[in-house]
Amino acid sequence: MPAGGVLAMQVTMDEAGPQDITEAGADTLTPLHPNHVKLLRMQAGIAAAPLAIGALALEFATELPTGVIIAPVLLLAAWLVIRVPLRRHAARGYDLGADRLRVVRGLWFRSDTVVPFGRVQHLDLAQSALERAYGLATITVHTAGTHNASVSLPGLAQADAAAMRETIAGHIRRETA
Amino acid sequence: MSANTAPRRTAPLGMLVGAVQGIRQSLLPAAAGAYGLRDQFGGIGLIAGFAILALAIGALGAFLKWWRTTYLVGADAISVESGVVSRRARSVPYERIQDVSLEQPLLARLIGLAQVKFETGAGGADEIALAYLTLAEGEALRELVRDRRDDSAPVPAIDGDPAEPPNQVLFAMPPRRLALFGLFEFSLAAVAVVMGATQQFDFLLPFDLWDGDAWQVLLDAPAGRVAALGPLAQAAGALAALAVLGAIGIATGIGRTVARDWGFVLERTAKGFRRRRGLFTKSDVVMPAHRVQAVELGTRWLRRRFGWHALKFVSLAQDAGSASHVVAPFAQLGEVTPIAAAAGFALPGDQTPWQRPSRRAFVDGAVIGAAIPLAAAIGLLFSPVPVAAPLPLLAVPLIALRQAYLWRRARHALDERHLYTRRGWLAPRIQIASRVKLQSVEIAQGPLARRGGYAALHLGLAGGTLSLAALPLDEARRIRESLLASMAEVDFAKII
């Protein structure tokens, strides 16, 4: 087993308690593309950069011993950039069934949403500049319900996302014809 | 116009309209830029520079937007790709397009362009619009979409039973019922307003409303007896004030109810449910029967003792805007049952397989609720009056009692056609949803729910919300599976 796989499994283990949503049928969940971790890390890095710069400025501005401010801030930033994206990635997954799409997400607040293809109103396939750099795409399905009016699934390889869109659109055509 | 395999751009002239809008938005950044460069230019130069900057920003924005927006009229769907940096491709299957509208703002109309909007049943606000196409192209697109849809999709189910006699009155409120309803609508808010007003404007009254002696004088009692009956008179004064306030509350309640619900009639017509009501503002709403997604049976704690309930329809929002869908505001269960049945919903009965939620969730709720008075007590312990510390703790038994009641009253049930839920402690509210008319199912768990092994089941309902909180996790999964099985059987096009 490759090292990455072992790591990912450990993460899932300490992540999922005995009463977790994903416990039953976790084997059927498809994990997101590995590049999604890189994307999350890049996003976390961009968010943490002002924090680090601010800490550095404060460090130079004050007379405190070296490292009193910068060390904890950098530790926090490292945790946010290295550890959290890994866990967030492990917490996400999807399952494209014969007639439904299941999207699982959330670290603290877990949610497991299923949208039958027959209830999809329209679909979005979106790519931000960062996502494009990693070859990823986000698919969003829109339903008529007030709750879950749109369900997003990020971190798919672009080709997979496009294929998924065709699958769902094709299903709608078959069902209504 | 036929299906094309190559993506196309919108009308180039549309850039002009876009640029004008862009210039309006770029006034502020242009002003900032011109201000930054004010040393290089003086007077006229500044204004000219400002204008050129605004034009350039607006024109560039409009061009980029036009350049990066393409649409494709495909075999199954219309797709629109847009976004200058972040790209978004939205595809709308023909089967889901309910209508195509052409809009022409003034400037677009002058140069013969139109914005084409595709309306679907999506619950969110965002829609799909193509801005701008030439009017001819827009009309051709509309024709094409209508042809495609009529070819492939069957006409949605026609509501109602054709054999049913037209305009059957399902529910009406005669003035006596209305007056009784008004009594239960006793308005505490009106009482509060009057009390506040007497505090503020008591100088306008010839006597002090809160002074029992004044009341006694007003009632023309001999002065000697007032002195003798001091405390009693005070009590009588307070009672009189309460009686006046009570009368105001009742009068407000009746007045409001009569104004809103005068002549309330609910009829079953060929087109659906027709509700008429109102004294000053008459309203007349028609709700197609097949658009009713769920029904809600509500009550209040006092009227519940006398068996009075209110029935509401949850319907697709676009039917009546934000108007309420109350179909029987004040009725006995025997009157409500046929109304619900006419919309295809059965009220829960003896054979409804009611289930209780997870007890643990309500214990957690009580613990969380108790944390607030506990924090207040600890805070008081370190305040100048530590004696008062136990006072907030008096709320803890009340919080626990409330959670106990919430648990006792909470139920849910799933039968072949409906999903039932009952929530609330003093006056439980029952929601009844049609299984096939749900849009999505979500199981959600917070940290506490994960520890306690329970979950909330959120259901996508067109025009309303429906959640089953605090289900045991296995139960939530079981309900989801059976709901999904019945949802997948019927496509959206056949339920709307």
Side-chain angles (χ1 to χ4, degrees), chain A residues 15-24 99-100 102 105-129 132 142-151 165-166 169-173 175-177, chain B residues 68 75-76 85-93 95-96 120-124 126 128 152-154 436 438-447 450 453 458-465 473 477 480-481 484-485 487-488 490-495:
Chain A
E15 167 62 44
Q19 290 288 358
D20 209 276
I21 289 172
T22 44
E23 182 204 10
D99 56 2
R100 61 192 74 169
R102 177 172 173 221
R105 64 182 186 274
L107 210 52
W108 272 66
F109 291 88
R110 310 236 350 122
S111 106
D112 180 346
T113 308
V114 182
V115 180
F117 294 160
R119 296 293 180 278
V120 173
Q121 293 295 317
H122 56 261
L123 298 120
D124 284 354
L125 186 63
Q127 239 189 348
S128 68
R132 195 164 4 183
H142 297 261
T143 74
T146 307
H147 184 82
N148 275 334
S150 53
V151 176
R165 177 174 73 173
E166 292 316 309
H171 184 94
I172 294 171
R173 181 161 183 79
E175 277 304 299
T176 45
Chain B
R68 300 286 277 166
D76 297 346
V85 181
S86 295
R87 301 282 287 161
R88 186 180 71 173
R90 172 163 288 184
S91 54
V92 198
E95 289 75 18
R96 291 289 189 263
T120 69
D126 42 288
I128 311 92
S152 56
V436 294
L438 297 172
Q439 308 292 329
S440 63
V441 191
E442 174 186 354
I443 296 181
Q445 280 188 310
R450 285 228 303 282
H458 298 294
L459 300 147
L461 183 66
T465 55
L473 189 58
R477 285 213 194 94
R480 178 168 79 171
E481 277 320 303
L484 281 169
M487 282 157 74
V490 189
D491 188 80
F492 181 81
K494 291 170 183 105
I495 61 172

Side-chain angles (χ1 to χ4, degrees), chain B residues 132-175:
Chain B
Y132 290 88
L133 299 184
T134 60
L135 189 57
E137 216 174 338
E139 273 165 2
L141 196 56
R142 173 155 72 181
E143 280 313 301
L144 177 103
V145 168
R146 286 188 176 161
D147 286 351
R148 286 288 163 92
R149 203 186 41 183
D150 294 346
D151 285 351
S152 56
V155 178
I158 303 300
D159 57 301
D161 185 357
E164 205 169 1
N167 292 18
Q168 172 201 1
V169 174
L170 286 174
F171 183 70
M173 287 215 293

Side-chain angles (χ1 to χ4, degrees), chain B residues 189-208:
Chain B
V191 171
V193 166
V194 171
M195 272 175 72
T198 54
Q199 298 275 334
Q200 290 295 317
F201 303 110
D202 51 357
F203 59 89
L204 292 177
L205 290 174
F207 61 95
D208 185 356

Side-chain angles (χ1 to χ4, degrees), chain B residues 161-241:
Chain B
D161 185 357
E164 205 169 1
N167 292 18
Q168 172 201 1
V169 174
L170 286 174
F171 183 70
M173 287 215 293
R176 264 193 66 167
R177 170 74 64 89
L178 206 54
L180 189 62
F181 181 27
L183 273 183
F184 280 99
E185 291 282 277
F186 176 85
S187 170
L188 266 180
V191 171
V193 166
V194 171
M195 272 175 72
T198 54
Q199 298 275 334
Q200 290 295 317
F201 303 110
D202 51 357
F203 59 89
L204 292 177
L205 290 174
F207 61 95
D208 185 356
L209 186 69
W210 303 107
D211 184 1
D213 292 346
W215 279 96
Q216 204 65 26
V217 172
L218 203 72
L219 295 170
D220 209 13
R225 278 171 62 194
V226 176
L229 299 174
L232 201 62
Q234 295 249 338
L239 272 180

